[in-house]
Amino acid sequence: MHISVNVDGVTYADEVEPRLLLVHYLRERLGKTGTVVGCDTGNCGACTVHLDGHSIKSCSLFAVQANGREITTIEGLARDGKLHPVQQAFHSNHALQCGFCTPGMIMQAIDLLADEPDPDDETVRKGLEGNLCRCTGYQNIVRAVQDAAQRMKPGAGPEIEQRTPHAVGGE
């Protein structure tokens, strides 16, 4: 099947097998290896990307289902050589150990902050519950998301687009 997708600001047109998962298309065809293959069942969240501005688990979507849509991967977040505020907050707050879950956590955190720009600990933990980390115990991740919320407030730096909350949190 023929698809056309915009990934990280670049339009790609390809022929794909109908059963090709989006995560494999991104990694194998486009070289977007920051999108990690974790569980292949949608349980761990390592493969989280944004589809039309909302987080999805790319192992649970066929590439053909993304036809005509806009995808943002972890590689597409930095602008003009500067990390996205969430990436910078994860770095500054040591919110990673092995780093395997980090791209998915960051993508989900951005989606969470678009819906809830000033989350408390419980809101962060609930908003990230579909993304698993086997190393950290989550405290630094929660701290990083809250730090990112402060970095993203108007006047704190480059403006980040806010959007209307959606009903499907992280799925």
Side-chain angles (χ1 to χ4, degrees):
M1 297 186 73
H2 182 78
I3 64 168
S4 176
V5 292
N6 183 302
V7 179
D8 298 335
V10 177
T11 300
Y12 297 89
D14 279 306
E15 288 293 323
V16 298
E17 290 290 323
R19 67 180 177 269
L20 179 67
L21 292 174
L22 180 59
V23 67
H24 295 297
Y25 175 73
L26 293 170
R27 289 179 58 81
E28 296 163 15
R29 292 277 185 93
L30 304 186
K32 303 291 184 174
T33 57
T35 302
V36 181
V37 177
C39 63
D40 270 336
T41 61
N43 290 317
C44 76
C47 67
T48 302
V49 299
H50 291 173
L51 181 68
D52 296 335
H54 298 285
S55 63
I56 59 118
K57 294 174 181 174
S58 61
C59 75
S60 65
L61 193 77
F62 293 115
V64 296
Q65 292 175 288
N67 185 37
R69 316 274 298 271
E70 183 176 325
I71 300 163
T72 304
T73 69
I74 192 75
E75 290 96 341
L77 293 180
R79 297 278 186 239
D80 302 322
K82 291 188 173 195
L83 294 177
H84 184 282
V86 176
Q87 289 173 305
Q88 186 61 52
F90 267 66
H91 174 75
S92 297
N93 288 277
H94 310 288
L96 59 110
Q97 285 186 22
C98 79
F100 192 80
C101 71
T102 305
M105 286 281 188
I106 288 171
M107 300 305 288
Q108 183 60 32
I110 292 168
D111 194 36
L112 166 65
L113 292 172
D115 288 343
E116 179 55 61
D118 195 20
D120 60 18
D121 284 13
E122 182 180 339
T123 301
V124 173
R125 289 179 185 276
K126 183 169 175 57
L128 297 178
E129 70 185 4
N131 292 71
L132 304 178
C133 176
R134 296 179 180 182
C135 302
T136 70
Y138 295 91
Q139 190 53 41
N140 287 352
I141 293 170
V142 172
R143 189 175 301 121
V145 174
Q146 291 172 327
D147 180 24
Q150 297 308 308
R151 293 170 188 253
M152 293 169 63
K153 285 188 176 186
E159 295 298 316
I160 305 297
E161 183 178 323
Q162 297 294 316
R163 67 177 196 312
T164 303
H166 58 93
V168 183
E171 293 295 323

